[in-house]
Amino acid sequence: MPTVYATRRAHFNAAHRMHNPEQSDEWNRATFGECNHPNWHGHNYVLEVTVAGEPDPETGYVIDLGELKRIVHERVVRHVDHRNLNLDVDFLQGILPSTENLAVVIWQRLVDALPSGRLHSVRLFESERNAVEYRGE
Amino acid sequence: MPTVYATRRAHFNAAHRMHNPEQSDEWNRATFGECNHPNWHGHNYVLEVTVAGEPDPETGYVIDLGELKRIVHERVVRHVDHRNLNLDVDFLQGILPSTENLAVVIWQRLVDALPSGRLHSVRLFESERNAVEYRGE
Amino acid sequence: MPTVYATRRAHFNAAHRMHNPEQSDEWNRATFGECNHPNWHGHNYVLEVTVAGEPDPETGYVIDLGELKRIVHERVVRHVDHRNLNLDVDFLQGILPSTENLAVVIWQRLVDALPSGRLHSVRLFESERNAVEYRGE
Amino acid sequence: MPTVYATRRAHFNAAHRMHNPEQSDEWNRATFGECNHPNWHGHNYVLEVTVAGEPDPETGYVIDLGELKRIVHERVVRHVDHRNLNLDVDFLQGILPSTENLAVVIWQRLVDALPSGRLHSVRLFESERNAVEYRGE
Amino acid sequence: MPTVYATRRAHFNAAHRMHNPEQSDEWNRATFGECNHPNWHGHNYVLEVTVAGEPDPETGYVIDLGELKRIVHERVVRHVDHRNLNLDVDFLQGILPSTENLAVVIWQRLVDALPSGRLHSVRLFESERNAVEYRGE
Amino acid sequence: MPTVYATRRAHFNAAHRMHNPEQSDEWNRATFGECNHPNWHGHNYVLEVTVAGEPDPETGYVIDLGELKRIVHERVVRHVDHRNLNLDVDFLQGILPSTENLAVVIWQRLVDALPSGRLHSVRLFESERNAVEYRGE
């Protein structure tokens, strides 16, 4: 039986700041540069969630992408869109909001909302030039 | 020797409808929603075909991408472009034209037209937000 | 006072066919080629609606783009998305659904739903390579 | 002599919030919705600056686009990139940072740094779906 | 009767070099910098040609975009694609190949191949960040 | 510990020509077609470099993408941007500049400038339609 990878793209806009509170302000400025700016900056994030599996013989779908859209919205987008990623999001408390860490947390938010073993990857674009991918490994 | 993955992108425009004729109209409407609309809808599909192999020492090519373009056109695009995927395409008869099923059938159309073991993946975008990939496994 | 042009982008997927019923089948085939295919084809249309005016001193907005999104959805997108443009749309009855004619009709659908004189242009992309613009003149 | 329009694209990332301090919190929430979120949100802004004029017979350029890039960086981008548009930018003090108002202010920042009458338009994209243009009129 | 603007996009790849042979090598290096590199560099140019007019009542078209594609190919693309713009193109002899000058020459190549008064604009992108437009004025 | 894949995108413009000097001119013309044009042609190349690893607990980064940008610029972009890939680049001497061969050489330029085992892939787009990827295997 074929394994097909189905991807749904979503968007959210958020403010954030790179700042490790366990380090000095000096260390943070030297390490993160302008990304440490105290009054925040922000991004239009693009999120691509990929689910793997056999197409259902009845529907032809690995997953109903409308249903995947709803899960991604419910579990992720509605919590982070038009929010401050350092201050406002329960499941990001204590997490340094690098794109890498965001992708890992988004994976954790989604993996239990999907059938076991189906989530394949989370890709997150912070800009056209910077992106990360996490595959749960 | 290095293995390089070479990708060629193609496009086609087609009408389709999600409808499983073995199920009731009610089931189809409930399952596929607006994608079940009886008078069809359509998409600008984007198709990316990836071939893997060692670059030929004489040409530097894994495959001549102009030749790959011709194969993809001959085996796939000319049969589906400006067509109805439910009604008009020999190799889609009896296939529910989900993006997933299309990708698997496109793989089957291409795999024998390429040197053995060289086809690596078929990616098909139904829209900017929805895409699938099939790797022949 | 400054005049600013504010643009909102929307999308819809639809089937259509270029066919002039007042002409012979032969004329239609010769004129429209593959776009005349009897079983329809389709597109992911991209629609850009531009409204001109002075930013409101209270809001900084020429128009609330969320409100513009709602107007475009209500007046246009919900009628054409996942539809057949030749068969299903009241306001396209008797209209040959070229991108040009669609843009003019979309203008007519929007102009009265917006404050007088504010609609500036309607751009409609049938594909990445083909687009039209209508400015109400 | 021909008039040619030359455009340079730039990017910046910033946090902002829609909030009119002369109105009540209730009015702001009702008017701006999630864009009024108190802890800010943010965007990857795309800025397109267009200069009009005759190509110089010696250089073929309306303007050296490298020089235009430097002007746009010096006058605009370095002040707003990785900044909070409500708090951090001298030339935005007292300005409600709608995309419309930003475009007008960016015009004002650029018009005197370019030869008289050459600045043609400022386009600012807040996202792929929302954009504004200002032409100095 | 409505005036609609119809745009067709084309592509070509070419080598070029910014060099004014009436000036010294030193002047050229100081003026054009890396664009003056003696062994050439190159671009994937994107060309957008816009034609204005009333949609034909029989066809719904301002112009058959397939026909416009053929004209643009015949008059422009086949002469410049995979060519050196300084050395190989008859109609660019003696022209400094800035994007501005290319757009003006492309206009001149197209204006007589189209019905009188119909060519509206030529836009030429040298890269995602640099573009010019010429409207025949 | 999670493995995250972080990607940085860069650009360069270059001239090149497909020509194998060990073969006859006739063979080269027959094999490479217009890509063999003697006076060169060129491209806007897009380069995506992916690094894999665990996010650093102190910074949240697999790699500082600003640092990756600097490495890619220093080791690759500054040597090939606005250059002729057949004539001007030390590390391309004797290499037929197909996109495949370029990707392999770019890998070799980067692998030793990054911590051992961290470089995951090099993707190189010659155009929107043609791309290759090399993963060091």
Side-chain angles (χ1 to χ4, degrees), chain B residues 17 19-20 23-33 36:
Chain B
R17 175 197 187 199
H19 185 80
N20 182 338
Q23 300 282 352
S24 68
D25 284 0
E26 198 168 49
W27 181 94
N28 275 286
R29 274 193 300 273
T31 302
F32 296 121
N36 179 244

Side-chain angles (χ1 to χ4, degrees), chain C residues 58-113:
Chain C
E58 297 292 297
T59 63
Y61 291 157
V62 167
I63 186 171
D64 179 333
L65 287 179
E67 175 63 9
L68 180 56
K69 175 185 176 182
R70 280 188 292 276
I71 292 169
V72 172
H73 184 79
E74 183 62 29
R75 299 289 296 165
V76 180
V77 172
R78 76 179 182 87
H79 300 277
V80 293
D81 190 33
H82 287 81
R83 290 293 182 281
N84 184 309
L85 302 179
N86 300 64
L87 302 179
D88 297 332
V89 186
D90 280 358
F91 57 79
L92 292 173
Q93 292 305 307
I95 306 278
L96 192 55
S98 68
T99 321
E100 288 89 335
N101 286 346
L102 294 174
V104 173
V105 171
I106 289 170
W107 172 284
Q108 294 163 344
R109 293 286 299 169
L110 292 173
V111 69
D112 294 334

